[in-house]
Amino acid sequence: MSVIVALVLMITVPAVAVDPPNGEHWNVNFVTQLAYDQPLFSDNFNDGTADGWTEVGTGGNWSVEDDIGFGSKVYSQADTDWTNTSNYDTYWRSYGDDSWTNYSVEAKVQIVSGGFAPIAGIFFRVQGTDLSSGYYMFRIDARAGQGPGLIKSPNTIVQMVVDPAVIGTIYTLKVIVNGSNIQCYVDGVKKIDYMDVSSPYLSGGIGVGSFNAHAHFDDVIVMGVNPNQILIPLYGTGGVTWTFGDDFRILDNDAGVYDGTPAI
């Protein structure tokens, strides 16, 4: 486990034309690129420990072990117990605290084996260290008719894509959170883009965990937002042209804040 020092990246990308939403008039002050390039935390477990990870609730069989498929050490949860839907436990561990707000978190995740409902995934914006705490989870699910899903505590599926996980396959899961927007990726492909408008969790740590599954986790990386502010001249009507891609935020004198992803 390591906490790493900030790294600044300079990248040149094509210019992007941004059109005002709903035809509004913009007296633009500045545009901010939401660049996820501020390292907060990483852990590849190659030191043989899981120092700093906190048990959430009780149960689970956690250890750091070698995995030939990963080619390295992994964080393993081997308990697959499940009695019924009224008293099941999702066994998971968390890291971080409420100081983490907008960030990306990714990890390699594998369902090694499981029972009736083998599920594994990454948690984010974790509010505490007991099972009643608020959280989000992005999961993979090996059941037929299931697939990558966004969960909000206490175990509510808010969005899902039917694409069952294959037991034994190593997936790279990634989540980007910005305000109330949540974007979830599997192996670099966006599966979910969700705006939580009902009492969203806006800060908190991250975690890994499984339900009814022996699962392995590795290469956990958390990157914070390091905004790059670009001053531009004031425009009347029409679009604003600037030179950053990805997510952006526009602050103006008329309509307040507008977040979005520009079309190139």
Side-chain angles (χ1 to χ4, degrees):
M1 183 272 292
S2 61
V3 178
I4 44 187
V5 180
L7 173 68
V8 177
L9 301 177
M10 298 185 66
I11 302 174
T12 302
V13 297
V16 176
V18 180
D19 294 324
N22 304 320
E24 294 172 351
H25 175 81
W26 279 353
N27 293 313
V28 179
N29 294 325
F30 59 82
V31 176
T32 299
Q33 179 200 18
L34 303 180
Y36 294 82
D37 59 4
Q38 182 77 26
L40 296 177
F41 166 75
S42 70
D43 203 342
N44 60 18
F45 308 104
N46 285 338
D47 61 0
T49 71
D51 293 344
W53 291 85
T54 302
E55 181 176 312
V56 178
T58 60
N61 181 9
W62 290 90
S63 64
V64 176
E65 61 185 52
D66 292 314
D67 184 292
I68 296 175
F70 281 81
S72 63
K73 293 185 182 299
V74 297
Y75 202 16
S76 171
Q77 194 300 107
D79 198 335
T80 62
D81 288 347
W82 177 36
T83 54
N84 59 62
T85 55
S86 65
N87 66 358
Y88 73 86
D89 275 328
T90 300
Y91 302 131
W92 56 295
R93 298 290 177 95
S94 69
Y95 191 100
D97 56 42
D98 285 345
S99 68
W100 293 358
T101 53
N102 298 326
Y103 56 81
S104 69
V105 53
E106 72 174 75
K108 292 185 173 67
V109 179
Q110 178 192 49
I111 299 175
V112 179
S113 62
F116 171 75
I119 293 169
I122 54 179
F123 292 77
F124 54 100
R125 288 186 171 168
V126 177
Q127 305 289 295
T129 57
D130 61 77
L131 293 177
S132 64
S133 301
Y135 64 83
Y136 296 101
M137 178 190 188
F138 179 46
R139 72 173 197 191
I140 53 174
D141 190 327
R143 291 177 292 175
Q146 299 293 313
L150 175 61
I151 311 297
K152 183 179 181 181
S153 65
N155 197 36
T156 300
I157 300 175
V158 296
Q159 199 169 108
M160 186 195 73
V161 178
V162 176
D163 185 12
V166 177
I167 290 179
T169 298
I170 300 171
Y171 297 94
T172 298
L173 305 188
K174 182 175 182 178
V175 173
I176 298 174
V177 282
N178 172 37
S180 57
N181 181 246
I182 302 169
Q183 299 178 29
C184 305
Y185 298 78
V186 177
D187 293 337
V189 178
K190 185 187 291 186
K191 298 292 186 178
I192 290 172
D193 192 335
Y194 179 75
M195 187 71 71
D196 190 352
V197 296
S198 178
S199 301
Y201 303 122
L202 297 177
S203 65
I206 58 94
V208 295
S210 70
F211 166 66
N212 198 211
H214 177 189
H216 286 175
F217 308 91
D218 198 14
D219 295 334
V220 182
I221 302 173
V222 182
M223 302 288 281
V225 176
N226 182 21
N228 295 296
Q229 179 173 306
I230 304 302
L231 297 178
I232 61 175
L234 295 180
Y235 284 77
T237 59
V240 175
T241 299
W242 56 299
T243 58
F244 285 91
D246 301 321
D247 293 338
F248 64 90
R249 169 165 292 171
I250 292 176
L251 306 183
D252 66 49
N253 294 330
D254 292 338
V257 177
Y258 174 72
D259 291 332
T261 301
I264 297 176

